[in-house]
């Protein structure tokens, strides 16, 4: 039972066996839920604030995706820091002799899943981290296996190129030694018009003025791909409401930036709708050699690596580090984790850490409120703005649409 003191941000003075909630209001006045655990005396543990992470943001998921084989998986599990001694030394899963049991549980999960599309194209579906709060890529094992079996392999890096692509390059490619040949930046007329200031219920009609305002977001993503030395093709994922004038506007703007563009109609036409894009990608690979490079070197201080991402990829003027983040950076540097790459946790809706700032904002700073260690995965996570690693459910979760009747007929799964 919670009383009104939760609104004032006070710890509740209630029975210690209950979960205690605290309302933490950040700079955007968005509530972040935390729990206080370990109450009830010495046998119940150390009282402390804690919270929940969605599965895809867990270190175990990252390790599954970044491990090269079963033994590497086990070794990475052993490096997970689970606690600290009273004098501040890390306690790992290896210290607890737990990595063997952990690897045993994951002995089948580490195997890539082979599925197929409706047109019988083979696909590996393996791993599932979100690029806004995790490293955003499928498993290294699945990608390597695909490269053994096909002449060309297409892999997805989630959310915007400021998140998924940056992490694919700076984390996955760095760990696995991949050198991508080309990049496909997916765009929609609707998304660009939204970046131009239109509300969702206004996206159906032609509005070249809004498209003009919003296309700067796409321009930034194209520029960012050049920072990694990889040429890009822009795929316009066509919607029925797109007009020829809007599509032609994007084509011309991309060509002015030196990026080829292809219309993608896979949703309505299947594989036939992706032929133009496939041919453009093949032509790009043949005509332009990839000069892939990562954005930053690992020897840079932690703060400088974060600033590099924020300034080069997001377009920020600088980075503000909250006190908690500063203390964590100092601690991890002293513990020998300073040479790890950075996994940024940031809203996917904006180049900034404020989801309401669309387009291509300027004159902003990124706020890093927390830095977390993922020693087994091999990176540090910088938590920015109001992003939560345990996202909330929508107003009406998908589960509420699911049902089964007396005859066993299932509805609501699609």
């Amino acid at each position: 039972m919670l009383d009104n003191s939760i609104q004032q941000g006070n710890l509740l003075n209630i029975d210690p066996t209950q979960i205690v909630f605290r309302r933490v209001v950040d700079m955007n006045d968005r509530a972040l839920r935390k729990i206080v655990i370990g109450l009830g005396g010495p046998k119940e543990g150390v009282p402390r604030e804690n919270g929940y992470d969605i599965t895809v943001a867990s270190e175990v998921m990252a390790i599954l995706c970044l491990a090269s084989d079963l033994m590497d998986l086990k070794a990475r599990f052993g490096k997970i820091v689970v606690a600290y001694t009273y004098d501040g030394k890390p306690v790992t899963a290896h210290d607890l002799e737990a990595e063997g049991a952990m690897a045993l549980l994951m002995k089948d999960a580490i195997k890539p899943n082979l599925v197929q599309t409706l047109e019988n194209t083979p696909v590996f579906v393996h791993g599932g981290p979100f690029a806004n709060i995790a490293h955003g890529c499928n498993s290294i094992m699945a990608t390597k296996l695909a490269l053994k079996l096909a002449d060309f392999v297409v892999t997805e890096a989630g959310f915007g190129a400021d998140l998924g692509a940056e992490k694919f390059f700076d984390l996955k490619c760095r760990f696995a030694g991949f050198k991508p040949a080309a990049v496909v930046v997916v765009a929609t007329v609707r998304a660009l018009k939204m970046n131009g200031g239109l509300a969702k219920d206004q996206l159906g009609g032609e509005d070249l003025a809004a498209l003009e305002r919003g296309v700067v977001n796409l321009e930034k993503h194209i520029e960012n791909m050049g920072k990694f030395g990889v040429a890009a093709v822009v795929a316009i994922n066509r919607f029925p409401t797109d007009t020829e004038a809007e599509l032609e506007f994007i084509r011309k703007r991309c060509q002015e930036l030196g990026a080829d563009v292809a219309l993608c109609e896979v949703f309505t036409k299947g594989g036939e709708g992706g032929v133009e894009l496939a041919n453009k990608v093949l032509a790009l690979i043949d005509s332009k050699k990839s000069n892939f490079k990562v954005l930053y070197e690992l020897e840079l201080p932690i703060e400088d690596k974060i600033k590099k991402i924020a300034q080069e990829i997001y377009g920020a003027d600088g980075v503000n580090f909250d006190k908690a983040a500063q203390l964590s950076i100092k601690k991890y540097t002293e513990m020998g984790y300073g040479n790890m790459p950075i996994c940024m946790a940031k809203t996917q809706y904006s180049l900034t850490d404020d989801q309401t700032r669309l387009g291509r904002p300027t004159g902003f700073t990124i706020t890093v409120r927390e830095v977390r260690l993922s020693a087994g995965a091999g990176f540090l996570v910088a938590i920015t703005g109001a992003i939560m690693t345990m996202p909330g459910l929508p107003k009406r979760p998908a589960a509420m649409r699911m049902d089964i009747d007396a005859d066993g007929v299932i509805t609501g799964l699609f």
Side-chain angles (χ1 to χ4, degrees):
M1 184 174 67
L2 303 177
D3 64 25
N4 289 333
S5 63
I6 192 170
Q7 301 301 325
Q8 282 72 48
N10 299 323
L11 287 175
L12 304 183
N13 187 16
I14 60 177
D15 187 278
T17 61
Q18 295 179 319
I19 294 177
V20 181
F21 287 84
R22 184 172 68 140
R23 181 181 175 88
V24 182
V25 180
D26 68 356
M27 61 183 180
N28 292 318
D29 197 29
R30 295 188 62 186
L32 307 177
R33 293 288 187 176
K34 289 195 174 184
I35 62 172
V36 176
I37 65 174
L39 305 178
K43 294 183 180 180
E44 304 300 325
V46 178
R48 63 194 185 277
E49 281 191 352
N50 211 321
Y52 296 97
D53 287 339
I54 193 169
T55 302
V56 294
S58 70
E59 187 173 358
V60 172
M61 175 63 81
I63 290 173
L64 171 68
C65 292
L66 296 174
S68 58
D69 54 41
L70 182 61
M71 291 300 98
D72 183 40
L73 182 85
K74 183 167 76 170
R76 287 175 177 270
F77 281 158
K79 295 177 182 178
I80 296 176
V81 175
V82 298
Y84 294 91
T85 64
Y86 285 111
D87 56 356
K89 295 181 180 179
V91 178
T92 66
H94 175 73
D95 294 329
L96 303 180
E97 301 181 15
E99 70 268 38
M102 295 173 68
L104 175 61
L105 288 173
M106 301 289 285
K107 69 179 180 67
D108 293 320
I110 195 175
K111 300 172 184 177
N113 304 299
L114 178 62
V115 299
Q116 64 181 0
T117 70
L118 293 175
E119 297 180 346
N120 304 316
T121 301
V123 180
F124 288 112
V125 179
H126 196 217
F130 294 174
N132 58 344
I133 53 179
H135 79 284
C137 306
N138 75 312
S139 75
I140 286 176
M141 289 186 63
T143 302
K144 285 187 173 180
L145 182 54
L147 287 168
K148 292 284 188 180
L149 300 174
D151 295 326
F152 295 93
V153 174
V154 178
T155 185
E156 180 190 11
F159 288 122
D162 57 313
L163 293 167
E166 185 273 318
K167 294 175 182 181
F168 175 78
F169 294 142
D170 284 328
L171 295 174
K172 183 175 178 178
C173 290
R174 190 193 300 266
F175 287 136
F178 293 146
K179 294 183 178 180
V183 174
V184 176
V185 178
V186 181
T188 67
V189 170
R190 292 170 59 87
L192 294 178
K193 288 194 293 189
M194 181 175 287
N195 271 279
L198 294 189
K200 286 186 178 180
D201 58 2
Q202 300 174 323
L203 300 177
E206 180 176 293
D207 193 328
L208 294 176
L211 194 57
E212 172 76 37
R213 295 191 300 269
V215 76
V216 294
N217 182 269
L218 176 59
E219 291 175 357
K220 177 58 175 168
H221 290 304
I222 295 172
E223 290 176 15
N224 283 347
M225 296 305 95
K227 297 177 187 293
F228 296 96
V230 185
V233 174
V234 175
I236 305 176
N237 188 14
R238 187 172 192 173
F239 279 70
T241 55
D242 299 344
T243 68
E244 287 300 325
E246 290 173 327
L247 296 172
E248 185 60 26
F249 175 87
I250 297 176
R251 286 193 190 97
K252 289 183 177 179
R253 187 58 62 90
C254 291
Q255 289 169 357
E256 291 170 0
L257 296 171
D260 210 341
V261 60
L263 198 61
C264 187
E265 300 179 277
V266 174
F267 183 80
T268 55
K269 298 181 179 179
E272 180 186 350
V275 171
E276 180 187 351
L277 174 60
N279 288 332
K280 290 287 180 68
V281 171
L282 293 176
L284 181 66
I285 292 173
D286 289 338
S287 62
K288 292 185 180 180
K289 181 181 178 181
S290 174
N291 296 306
F292 172 69
K293 59 183 178 180
V294 293
L295 185 68
Y296 55 84
E297 298 302 325
L298 298 181
E299 293 73 24
L300 287 175
I302 296 172
E303 296 97 327
D304 290 350
K305 285 181 282 196
I306 295 174
K307 289 177 182 177
K308 185 84 170 177
I309 297 170
Q311 292 173 333
E312 293 285 331
I313 302 302
Y314 309 153
D317 290 341
V319 179
N320 294 324
F321 295 91
D322 285 353
K323 188 64 176 179
Q326 294 177 28
L327 293 174
S328 294
I329 289 171
K330 183 176 184 295
K331 177 176 72 173
Y332 297 144
T333 300
E334 293 173 348
M335 290 167 56
Y337 295 115
N339 285 348
M340 286 186 169
I342 305 298
C343 180
M344 300 289 285
K346 182 185 73 67
T347 178
Q348 68 273 26
Y349 298 112
S350 172
L351 288 166
T352 75
D353 57 8
D354 177 358
Q355 67 174 21
T356 65
R357 299 191 64 180
L358 305 181
R360 184 177 181 173
T362 58
F364 67 92
T365 57
I366 296 291
T367 296
V368 176
R369 72 172 196 265
E370 182 183 353
V371 176
R372 299 178 184 176
L373 172 66
S374 293
F379 54 67
L380 296 164
V381 182
I383 311 293
T384 71
I387 192 73
M388 292 185 292
T389 54
M390 184 64 206
L393 291 172
K395 292 181 180 179
R396 187 171 178 79
M400 297 178 69
R401 299 192 299 270
M402 300 176 189
D403 202 357
I404 186 170
D405 63 18
D407 296 325
V409 177
I410 296 172
T411 58
L413 292 183
F414 301 100

